[in-house]
Amino acid sequence: MAKAFEEQRRSPDLEALPFEDRIGLLVDREAAERDTRRLTTRLKIAALRQTACVEDVDLRTPRGIDRAVFAKLVEGRWIDRHENLLVTGATGLGKSWLACALGHKACRDNRSVLYHRVPRLFEALALARGDGRYARLLKSLGRAQLLILDDWGLSVLTAAERRDLLEILEDRHGRASTIVTSQLPWTPGMEPLGTPRSPTPFSIASSTTAHRLQLTGESMRKRSAKTITLDGQPEH
């Protein structure tokens, strides 16, 4: 507010404003600065893999994204209801990007978010188990209002990894929301990777409180790889 006051003193146009209006500008400036700092902190803690915003999501390219469903996901009330989201599709369709965009929107809506690639998360949990940080790490994973588990299903889970995932999902069940991205196709009752009755994103998707985005179509990476030649024609 002191900085805003000094700016007002250097602006002759503001001298004509009533005292109440100038105070109001100072308060608005302070509130905006605090919101910006809080958002910066939330984004730093979230550690999103990609810088993505829901406003930049390409809904014109056919990828199987229903506009009405996506609008409800952007709105964010499903997070307040502690519901989950499963995003599946082939490599290059933008699963991680969409998850990070929804995570960014949640941060903007003053919600706590954590992002983890599943393989790296299991490595971090294994290290934490060895140095005494395991309980604290599990607590932080359970406390986040939105947890993003990216790149599920890249390898078969070990017994320890299945136990870790069960702990995470049990802590969050009915208390917080989780986004899972996977290249594996979802079908009702499917338990992938040869781990029957183990916690999987597919058991999350089978829940009555789950949303699903099944991405289809051409790889977005291939589309981005198309360059423009000097004569303005697309080069494949």
Side-chain angles (χ1 to χ4, degrees):
M1 292 180 71
K3 181 179 179 181
F5 176 67
E6 288 299 324
E7 292 176 359
Q8 283 191 11
R9 292 182 61 187
R10 294 193 297 268
S11 178
D13 295 337
L14 294 177
E15 292 182 358
L17 289 178
F19 175 79
E20 292 82 0
D21 291 346
R22 294 185 64 176
I23 288 292
L25 290 174
L26 294 178
V27 173
D28 289 344
R29 172 69 173 272
E30 176 66 15
E33 290 284 347
R34 292 189 181 191
D35 287 343
T36 299
R37 288 196 295 270
R38 282 194 290 264
L39 175 58
T40 301
T41 300
R42 286 193 295 271
L43 289 172
K44 183 178 180 180
I45 293 173
L48 299 173
R49 181 181 181 182
Q50 302 187 49
T51 303
C53 299
V54 292
E55 291 83 2
D56 295 333
V57 173
D58 182 6
L59 296 176
R60 295 171 298 178
T61 301
R63 282 188 291 170
I65 302 177
D66 184 278
R67 290 176 179 266
V69 171
F70 188 71
K72 290 182 179 179
L73 293 174
V74 171
E75 189 178 40
R77 293 184 181 178
W78 62 282
I79 301 177
D80 297 330
R81 296 191 295 266
H82 307 149
E83 297 171 353
N84 304 310
L85 171 63
L86 174 64
V87 185
T88 57
T91 300
L93 288 177
K95 301 182 297 297
S96 298
W97 202 94
L98 283 173
C100 288
L102 291 171
H104 185 272
K105 180 59 166 58
C107 287
R108 286 159 51 189
D109 291 340
N110 200 27
R111 296 183 174 99
S112 58
V113 178
L114 282 178
Y115 169 93
H116 285 281
R117 289 189 66 246
V118 172
R120 295 285 181 87
L121 175 59
F122 287 140
E123 292 176 4
L125 287 168
L127 290 174
R129 189 181 291 106
D131 60 19
R133 295 180 297 106
Y134 184 74
R136 186 170 62 187
L137 180 53
L138 283 181
K139 184 177 180 180
S140 68
L141 292 170
R143 191 168 51 221
Q145 291 173 277
L146 178 62
L147 175 64
I148 301 174
L149 298 177
D150 196 12
D151 287 337
W152 173 277
L154 297 182
S155 62
V156 178
L157 296 182
T158 66
E161 290 169 346
R162 291 197 297 272
R163 287 193 299 269
D164 287 340
L165 188 60
L166 180 60
E167 288 289 339
I168 294 169
L169 297 184
E170 283 294 326
D171 285 347
R172 300 183 59 77
H173 180 68
R175 300 184 182 93
S177 296
T178 305
I179 296 178
V180 176
T181 75
S182 177
Q183 297 179 22
L184 299 173
W186 177 83
T187 56
M190 180 180 180
E191 294 293 337
L193 306 181
T195 55
R197 295 182 300 279
S198 67
T200 70
F202 301 88
S203 60
I204 291 176
S206 299
S207 168
T208 57
T209 59
H211 305 269
R212 291 183 291 275
L213 287 179
Q214 174 67 53
L215 304 186
T216 59
E218 182 184 3
S219 169
M220 299 297 287
R221 296 176 187 173
K222 291 181 180 180
R223 289 177 177 270
S224 300
K226 296 175 182 178
T227 58
I228 304 300
T229 61
L230 293 178
D231 59 0
Q233 299 300 316
E235 183 181 49
H236 298 275

